[in-house]
Amino acid sequence: LDNALRLLELTDKKLVTDIRVTEKKITSAVDAIIALKFDIDITAAKIGDNSAVLKKTLTDRYKLESHTLIEILLANTSFSSFWSFVTYLERFQKNIEERVEELKELNARLAEKEAFQTREKANFVSYKNRLLDQKEIVSHNKSMKAELLSATRNKETVYEEMLRERMEKKEALEREIAEFEEQLRVEI
């Protein structure tokens, strides 16, 4: 009985420690998810900004490309201004390519962060379920301990009653023997 009670107490202490560890993991997972949410929001805002800039850039490019090369050559007053415009168009194209590449990179990072957030949420749910299981085990152990103590008390009460009855019988027998010895002495 003592060993069973000690074992239950040790199990309870271990589970309480496990519960504290799990609660810390849950807190850590929640903090990571919150930080990740902010990071995702920032990345989404950058994507929105880059999309707006890219849209404006593409609109500007469309306007510039609506003119033929001859129209552009004739619109410039000198050959050097024409080449400056061609250089501008090349930089413009390069800027568009950089924006598109940056947008792709931001989208890839956003997808990674969202996947990580999903995993962290799954870990959080797992920690929470483990915590609930551990709390249930602690509760079950406490009820088993209470039942064991109750059963022990009941048995103790039964044994005390049996002992009291035997003591009463012993005392009654001793009285009878004493009376019988007294009668024997009187007769002798």
Side-chain angles (χ1 to χ4, degrees):
L1 177 66
D2 287 338
N3 287 339
L5 287 174
R6 270 190 244 121
L7 181 63
L8 283 174
E9 287 174 9
L10 286 174
T11 304
D12 282 351
K13 286 179 183 177
K14 182 187 180 312
L15 287 172
V16 166
T17 303
D18 288 348
I19 287 170
R20 274 194 230 117
V21 168
T22 303
E23 286 173 341
K24 287 180 183 177
K25 286 181 179 179
I26 288 172
T27 302
S28 175
V30 167
D31 291 344
I33 288 171
I34 290 170
L36 193 57
K37 176 74 172 115
F38 286 129
D39 200 21
I40 287 171
D41 290 344
I42 289 169
T43 304
K46 286 180 182 177
I47 289 171
D49 291 345
N50 276 350
S51 294
V53 168
L54 186 59
K55 183 178 179 181
K56 183 188 179 314
T57 304
L58 289 173
T59 304
D60 292 345
R61 180 177 177 201
Y62 176 75
K63 287 178 185 174
L64 289 174
E65 287 180 348
S66 65
H67 303 290
T68 64
L69 194 57
I70 293 174
E71 289 175 331
I72 295 171
L73 182 61
L74 293 175
N76 287 295
T77 56
S78 68
F79 196 64
S80 68
S81 67
F82 171 72
W83 280 117
S84 295
F85 186 73
V86 169
T87 305
Y88 169 76
L89 287 177
E90 287 174 355
R91 282 193 315 245
F92 195 70
Q93 179 64 32
K94 189 173 183 171
N95 185 19
I96 290 173
E97 289 169 1
E98 288 173 358
R99 291 287 179 177
V100 167
E101 195 58 39
E102 188 177 340
L103 198 55
K104 286 179 184 176
E105 186 179 308
L106 285 171
N107 273 327
R109 277 193 270 160
L110 181 64
E112 287 174 19
K113 289 173 184 177
E114 286 174 340
F116 182 75
Q117 183 183 27
T118 301
R119 287 191 305 272
E120 283 298 306
K121 283 182 180 179
N123 286 340
F124 174 73
V125 169
S126 172
Y127 290 146
K128 188 175 179 182
N129 289 338
R130 189 178 328 156
L131 180 64
L132 292 174
D133 290 345
Q134 289 170 344
K135 285 184 178 181
E136 188 176 318
I137 290 170
V138 167
S139 175
H140 178 71
N141 281 350
K142 284 182 181 180
S143 67
M144 283 180 55
K145 189 175 176 182
E147 287 175 22
L148 189 57
L149 287 173
S150 175
T152 303
R153 284 188 194 117
N154 288 343
K155 286 182 181 179
E156 184 179 0
T157 304
V158 168
Y159 289 133
E160 285 175 357
E161 183 63 29
M162 286 174 53
L163 181 62
R164 187 185 57 73
E165 287 176 5
R166 287 191 181 178
M167 291 300 284
E168 287 175 359
K169 287 180 183 179
K170 178 184 170 197
E171 289 174 7
L173 183 62
E174 285 176 354
R175 278 190 305 250
E176 277 184 41
I177 291 174
E179 288 175 11
F180 185 67
E181 285 177 348
E182 189 61 38
Q183 283 178 354
L184 279 177
R185 269 192 224 135
V186 173
E187 288 182 16
I188 299 186

